[in-house]
Amino acid sequence: MTTLIWIVAALVVIGVYLSWTAGRLDRLHSRIDAARAALDAQLLRRASVAQELGTAGVLDPAASIVLYQAAHAARQAEEEQREVAESELSQALRAVFAEAPQVEVVREAPGGEESLNELSEAVRRVPMARRFHNDAVRAARAVRKHRVVRWFRLAGHAPFPLAFEMDDEPPAALEPRAGA
């Protein structure tokens, strides 16, 4: 009888541990979903501001076309091509705002100061949102690599989390403004 009590107690402890681990994994997946939604919002904001600047007529025609096309491609990209399109937008932003005189041209235009502030904020927030997302992915992957999680299939049918890798280096001319 004592052996049966110990076996039942061990099974209860194992069941509680498995339930706690499954709950933790579910919370991590929810955190990934929330971080991904925040990242998507920041990427959309950055692309929208860039597209708006591309059509505002304050930049030279070549810069306007480059910026507009990269922003449009980033907004319209399919999920499989999103990282590449967002990296290309980062490169276009660096190319257009590589030098301070281009920033001054935009600042002197009507509404240019607000547009630059909004762009600086968007450019500054994208790396933070990406870092939060990738940290959540890293934490979920660490839990999912444990044998117990794999053996008991505690992750259910949730897809294996993937990090969002992109070039998010800000333009040199906007960096001092991002800290302001």
Side-chain angles (χ1 to χ4, degrees):
M1 187 67 170
T2 305
T3 307
L4 182 63
I5 292 173
W6 282 109
I7 291 173
V8 168
L11 288 175
V12 166
V13 168
I14 291 170
V16 167
Y17 173 74
L18 291 176
S19 175
W20 177 80
T21 304
R24 179 174 177 224
L25 197 54
D26 185 51
R27 287 188 303 275
L28 285 171
H29 282 123
S30 295
R31 190 172 128 201
I32 289 171
D33 291 342
R36 181 57 189 244
L39 175 62
D40 287 340
Q42 293 305 322
L43 291 171
L44 181 63
R45 180 176 179 218
R46 182 181 76 151
S48 296
V49 173
Q51 198 170 16
E52 188 178 300
L53 274 173
T55 59
V58 296
L59 300 171
D60 63 88
S64 293
I65 291 172
V66 166
L67 196 57
Y68 176 81
Q69 286 179 342
H72 182 72
R75 289 182 73 174
Q76 301 299 319
E78 296 293 326
E79 193 60 36
E80 300 83 32
Q81 299 298 319
R82 183 94 186 265
E83 293 172 351
V84 173
E86 294 294 345
S87 293
E88 288 173 355
L89 177 56
S90 295
Q91 293 166 0
L93 284 167
R94 279 197 310 272
V96 170
F97 295 106
E99 299 172 2
Q102 187 76 342
V103 173
E104 291 303 318
V105 167
V106 174
R107 183 178 292 130
E108 291 169 1
E113 187 70 32
E114 293 82 21
S115 295
L116 279 177
N117 288 339
E118 195 172 348
L119 181 63
S120 294
E121 282 296 312
V123 165
R124 185 179 62 83
R125 288 180 179 177
V126 166
M128 289 190 301
R130 190 175 72 86
R131 195 173 311 121
F132 288 139
H133 175 266
N134 288 349
D135 287 346
V137 166
R138 199 173 302 112
R141 283 181 171 181
V143 171
R144 286 183 72 153
K145 286 182 181 178
H146 291 120
R147 280 187 216 139
V148 173
V149 173
R150 290 191 320 260
W151 288 346
F152 289 98
R153 298 179 185 222
L154 297 180
H157 297 289
F160 194 73
L162 299 174
F164 193 87
E165 298 300 332
M166 65 171 270
D167 173 10
D168 58 9
E169 185 179 333
L174 291 179
E175 279 187 87
R177 297 192 55 73

Coordinates of all heavy atoms in Angstrom, one line a residue, residues 72-122:
H72 N 7.2 50.7 -50.4 CA 6.1 50.0 -51.0 C 6.4 48.5 -51.0 O 5.5 47.7 -50.6 CB 5.8 50.5 -52.4 CG 4.6 49.9 -53.0 ND1 3.3 50.1 -52.6 CD2 4.6 49.0 -54.0 CE1 2.5 49.4 -53.4 NE2 3.2 48.7 -54.2
A73 N 7.6 48.1 -51.4 CA 7.9 46.7 -51.4 C 7.9 46.1 -50.0 O 7.4 45.0 -49.8 CB 9.3 46.5 -52.0
A74 N 8.3 46.9 -49.0 CA 8.3 46.4 -47.6 C 6.8 46.2 -47.1 O 6.5 45.2 -46.4 CB 9.0 47.3 -46.7
R75 N 6.0 47.1 -47.5 CA 4.5 47.0 -47.0 C 3.8 45.9 -47.7 O 2.9 45.3 -47.2 CB 3.8 48.4 -47.3 CG 4.3 49.5 -46.4 CD 3.6 50.7 -46.6 NE 2.2 50.6 -46.1 CZ 1.3 51.6 -46.1 NH1 1.6 52.7 -46.5 NH2 0.1 51.4 -45.6
Q76 N 4.2 45.6 -49.0 CA 3.5 44.6 -49.8 C 4.1 43.2 -49.7 O 3.6 42.3 -50.3 CB 3.4 45.1 -51.2 CG 2.6 46.4 -51.4 CD 1.2 46.3 -50.9 OE1 0.5 45.4 -51.1 NE2 0.8 47.4 -50.3
A77 N 5.2 43.1 -49.1 CA 6.0 41.8 -49.1 C 5.2 40.7 -48.5 O 4.5 40.8 -47.4 CB 7.3 42.0 -48.4
E78 N 5.3 39.5 -49.1 CA 4.8 38.3 -48.5 C 5.6 37.9 -47.3 O 6.7 38.3 -47.2 CB 4.8 37.1 -49.5 CG 3.9 37.4 -50.7 CD 2.4 37.4 -50.4 OE1 2.0 36.6 -49.5 OE2 1.7 38.2 -51.0
E79 N 5.1 37.1 -46.4 CA 5.8 36.7 -45.2 C 7.2 36.1 -45.4 O 8.1 36.4 -44.7 CB 4.9 35.7 -44.4 CG 5.4 35.6 -43.0 CD 5.4 36.8 -42.1 OE1 4.5 37.7 -42.3 OE2 6.4 37.0 -41.3
E80 N 7.3 35.3 -46.5 CA 8.6 34.7 -46.8 C 9.6 35.7 -47.3 O 10.8 35.5 -47.1 CB 8.4 33.6 -47.9 CG 7.5 32.5 -47.5 CD 6.0 32.9 -47.8 OE1 5.7 33.6 -48.8 OE2 5.2 32.4 -47.0
Q81 N 9.2 36.8 -47.8 CA 10.1 37.8 -48.4 C 10.2 39.0 -47.5 O 10.9 40.0 -47.8 CB 9.7 38.2 -49.8 CG 9.7 37.1 -50.8 CD 11.1 36.5 -51.0 OE1 12.0 37.3 -51.0 NE2 11.2 35.2 -51.0
R82 N 9.6 39.0 -46.3 CA 9.5 40.2 -45.5 C 10.8 40.7 -45.0 O 11.1 41.9 -45.0 CB 8.5 39.9 -44.3 CG 8.3 41.1 -43.4 CD 7.0 41.8 -43.8 NE 6.8 43.0 -43.1 CZ 6.0 43.1 -42.0 NH1 5.4 42.0 -41.6 NH2 5.9 44.2 -41.4
E83 N 11.7 39.7 -44.5 CA 13.0 40.1 -44.0 C 13.8 40.8 -45.0 O 14.5 41.8 -44.7 CB 13.7 38.9 -43.4 CG 13.0 38.3 -42.2 CD 13.6 37.0 -41.7 OE1 14.4 36.4 -42.5 OE2 13.2 36.5 -40.7
V84 N 13.8 40.3 -46.2 CA 14.6 40.9 -47.3 C 14.1 42.2 -47.7 O 14.8 43.2 -47.8 CB 14.6 39.9 -48.5 CG1 15.3 40.6 -49.7 CG2 15.2 38.6 -48.2
A85 N 12.8 42.4 -47.8 CA 12.2 43.7 -48.1 C 12.4 44.7 -47.1 O 12.7 45.9 -47.4 CB 10.7 43.5 -48.4
E86 N 12.4 44.3 -45.8 CA 12.6 45.3 -44.7 C 14.1 45.7 -44.7 O 14.5 46.8 -44.4 CB 12.2 44.7 -43.4 CG 10.7 44.5 -43.2 CD 9.9 45.8 -43.2 OE1 10.5 46.9 -43.1 OE2 8.7 45.7 -43.4
S87 N 15.0 44.7 -45.0 CA 16.4 45.0 -45.1 C 16.7 46.0 -46.2 O 17.5 46.9 -46.1 CB 17.2 43.8 -45.3 OG 17.1 42.9 -44.1
E88 N 16.0 45.8 -47.3 CA 16.2 46.7 -48.5 C 15.7 48.1 -48.1 O 16.2 49.1 -48.6 CB 15.5 46.2 -49.7 CG 16.2 45.0 -50.3 CD 15.4 44.3 -51.4 OE1 14.3 44.7 -51.7 OE2 16.0 43.3 -52.0
L89 N 14.6 48.2 -47.3 CA 14.1 49.5 -46.9 C 15.2 50.2 -46.0 O 15.4 51.4 -46.1 CB 12.8 49.4 -46.2 CG 12.2 50.7 -45.6 CD1 12.1 51.8 -46.7 CD2 10.9 50.5 -44.9
S90 N 15.8 49.4 -45.1 CA 16.8 50.0 -44.3 C 18.0 50.5 -45.1 O 18.5 51.6 -44.9 CB 17.4 48.9 -43.3 OG 16.4 48.5 -42.4
Q91 N 18.4 49.7 -46.1 CA 19.4 50.2 -47.0 C 19.0 51.4 -47.8 O 19.9 52.3 -48.0 CB 19.8 49.0 -48.0 CG 20.4 47.9 -47.3 CD 20.5 46.6 -48.2 OE1 20.1 46.6 -49.3 NE2 21.0 45.5 -47.6
A92 N 17.8 51.5 -48.2 CA 17.3 52.7 -49.0 C 17.3 53.9 -48.0 O 17.7 55.0 -48.4 CB 15.9 52.5 -49.5
L93 N 16.9 53.7 -46.8 CA 16.9 54.8 -45.8 C 18.4 55.3 -45.6 O 18.6 56.5 -45.5 CB 16.3 54.4 -44.5 CG 14.8 54.3 -44.5 CD1 14.2 53.6 -43.3 CD2 14.2 55.7 -44.6
R94 N 19.3 54.4 -45.5 CA 20.7 54.8 -45.3 C 21.2 55.5 -46.5 O 22.0 56.4 -46.4 CB 21.5 53.5 -44.9 CG 21.5 53.1 -43.5 CD 22.6 52.2 -43.1 NE 22.8 51.1 -44.0 CZ 22.1 49.9 -43.8 NH1 21.3 49.8 -42.9 NH2 22.4 48.9 -44.7
A95 N 20.8 55.0 -47.7 CA 21.3 55.7 -48.9 C 20.7 57.1 -49.1 O 21.5 58.0 -49.4 CB 20.9 54.8 -50.1
V96 N 19.5 57.3 -48.8 CA 18.8 58.6 -48.9 C 19.3 59.5 -47.8 O 19.6 60.7 -48.1 CB 17.3 58.4 -48.9 CG1 16.6 59.8 -48.8 CG2 16.8 57.7 -50.2
F97 N 19.4 59.1 -46.6 CA 19.8 59.9 -45.5 C 21.2 59.7 -45.0 O 21.5 59.7 -43.8 CB 18.8 59.8 -44.3 CG 17.4 60.2 -44.7 CD1 16.4 59.3 -44.9 CD2 17.1 61.6 -44.8 CE1 15.1 59.7 -45.2 CE2 15.8 62.0 -45.1 CZ 14.8 61.1 -45.4
A98 N 22.1 59.4 -46.0 CA 23.5 59.2 -45.6 C 24.2 60.4 -45.1 O 25.1 60.3 -44.4 CB 24.2 58.6 -46.8
E99 N 23.8 61.6 -45.6 CA 24.4 62.8 -45.3 C 23.5 63.8 -44.6 O 22.3 63.8 -45.0 CB 25.1 63.4 -46.5 CG 26.1 62.5 -47.1 CD 26.6 63.0 -48.5 OE1 26.1 64.0 -48.9 OE2 27.4 62.3 -49.1
A100 N 24.0 64.7 -43.8 CA 23.2 65.6 -43.1 C 22.5 66.6 -44.0 O 21.4 67.1 -43.7 CB 24.0 66.4 -42.1
P101 N 23.1 67.1 -45.1 CA 22.4 68.0 -46.0 C 21.0 67.5 -46.5 O 20.1 68.3 -46.6 CB 23.3 68.2 -47.2 CG 24.7 67.9 -46.6 CD 24.5 66.9 -45.6
Q102 N 20.9 66.3 -46.7 CA 19.6 65.7 -47.2 C 18.6 65.8 -46.0 O 17.4 66.1 -46.3 CB 19.8 64.2 -47.6 CG 18.5 63.6 -48.2 CD 18.3 64.1 -49.6 OE1 18.8 65.1 -50.1 NE2 17.5 63.4 -50.3
V103 N 19.0 65.6 -44.8 CA 18.1 65.8 -43.6 C 17.7 67.2 -43.5 O 16.6 67.5 -43.2 CB 18.8 65.3 -42.4 CG1 18.0 65.6 -41.1 CG2 19.1 63.8 -42.5
E104 N 18.6 68.1 -43.7 CA 18.3 69.6 -43.6 C 17.3 70.0 -44.7 O 16.4 70.8 -44.4 CB 19.6 70.4 -43.7 CG 20.5 70.3 -42.6 CD 19.9 70.6 -41.2 OE1 19.1 71.6 -41.2 OE2 20.1 69.9 -40.3
V105 N 17.4 69.4 -45.9 CA 16.4 69.7 -46.9 C 15.0 69.3 -46.5 O 14.1 70.1 -46.7 CB 16.8 69.0 -48.3 CG1 15.7 69.1 -49.3 CG2 18.1 69.6 -48.8
V106 N 14.9 68.2 -45.9 CA 13.6 67.7 -45.4 C 13.1 68.6 -44.3 O 12.0 68.9 -44.2 CB 13.7 66.2 -45.0 CG1 12.4 65.8 -44.4 CG2 14.0 65.3 -46.2
R107 N 14.0 68.9 -43.3 CA 13.7 69.7 -42.2 C 13.1 71.0 -42.5 O 12.2 71.6 -41.9 CB 14.9 69.8 -41.2 CG 14.5 70.6 -40.0 CD 15.7 70.7 -39.0 NE 16.0 69.4 -38.4 CZ 17.2 69.0 -38.4 NH1 18.2 69.7 -38.9 NH2 17.5 67.8 -37.9
E108 N 13.7 71.7 -43.6 CA 13.3 73.0 -44.0 C 12.0 73.0 -44.8 O 11.3 74.1 -44.9 CB 14.4 73.6 -44.8 CG 15.6 74.0 -44.0 CD 16.8 74.3 -44.9 OE1 16.7 74.4 -46.1 OE2 17.9 74.6 -44.3
A109 N 11.5 71.9 -45.2 CA 10.2 71.8 -46.0 C 9.1 72.0 -44.9 O 9.2 71.6 -43.8 CB 10.1 70.5 -46.7
P110 N 7.9 72.4 -45.4 CA 6.8 72.5 -44.5 C 6.4 71.1 -44.0 O 6.2 70.2 -44.8 CB 5.7 73.1 -45.4 CG 6.4 73.7 -46.6 CD 7.6 73.0 -46.7
G111 N 6.3 71.0 -42.7 CA 6.0 69.7 -42.1 C 7.2 68.8 -42.0 O 7.0 67.6 -41.6
G112 N 8.3 69.2 -42.5 CA 9.5 68.3 -42.5 C 10.0 68.0 -41.1 O 10.5 66.8 -40.9
E113 N 10.0 68.9 -40.2 CA 10.5 68.6 -38.8 C 9.7 67.4 -38.2 O 10.3 66.5 -37.6 CB 10.4 69.8 -38.0 CG 11.0 69.7 -36.6 CD 12.5 69.6 -36.6 OE1 13.1 70.2 -37.5 OE2 13.1 68.9 -35.8
E114 N 8.4 67.5 -38.4 CA 7.5 66.4 -37.8 C 7.8 65.1 -38.5 O 7.8 64.1 -37.9 CB 6.0 66.8 -37.9 CG 5.6 68.0 -37.1 CD 5.9 69.3 -37.7 OE1 6.1 69.4 -39.0 OE2 6.0 70.3 -37.0
S115 N 8.0 65.2 -39.8 CA 8.2 63.9 -40.6 C 9.6 63.3 -40.2 O 9.7 62.1 -40.0 CB 8.3 64.2 -42.1 OG 7.0 64.6 -42.5
L116 N 10.6 64.2 -40.0 CA 11.9 63.6 -39.5 C 11.8 63.1 -38.1 O 12.4 62.0 -37.8 CB 12.9 64.7 -39.6 CG 13.5 65.0 -40.9 CD1 14.5 66.2 -40.8 CD2 14.2 63.8 -41.5
N117 N 11.1 63.7 -37.2 CA 10.9 63.2 -35.9 C 10.2 61.8 -35.9 O 10.6 60.9 -35.2 CB 10.1 64.2 -35.0 CG 10.9 65.4 -34.6 OD1 12.1 65.4 -34.7 ND2 10.2 66.4 -34.3
E118 N 9.2 61.7 -36.7 CA 8.4 60.5 -36.8 C 9.3 59.4 -37.4 O 9.3 58.2 -37.0 CB 7.2 60.7 -37.7 CG 6.2 59.6 -37.5 CD 4.9 59.9 -38.2 OE1 4.6 61.0 -38.6 OE2 4.1 58.9 -38.4
L119 N 10.1 59.7 -38.5 CA 11.0 58.7 -39.1 C 12.1 58.3 -38.1 O 12.4 57.1 -38.0 CB 11.6 59.3 -40.4 CG 12.6 58.4 -41.1 CD1 11.8 57.1 -41.6 CD2 13.2 59.1 -42.3
S120 N 12.6 59.3 -37.4 CA 13.7 58.9 -36.4 C 13.1 58.0 -35.3 O 13.8 57.0 -34.9 CB 14.2 60.2 -35.7 OG 14.9 61.0 -36.7
E121 N 11.9 58.3 -34.8 CA 11.3 57.4 -33.8 C 11.1 56.0 -34.4 O 11.4 55.0 -33.8 CB 10.0 58.0 -33.4 CG 10.2 59.1 -32.4 CD 10.8 58.7 -31.1 OE1 10.4 57.6 -30.5 OE2 11.8 59.3 -30.6
A122 N 10.6 56.0 -35.6 CA 10.3 54.6 -36.2 C 11.6 53.9 -36.5 O 11.6 52.7 -36.2 CB 9.5 54.8 -37.6

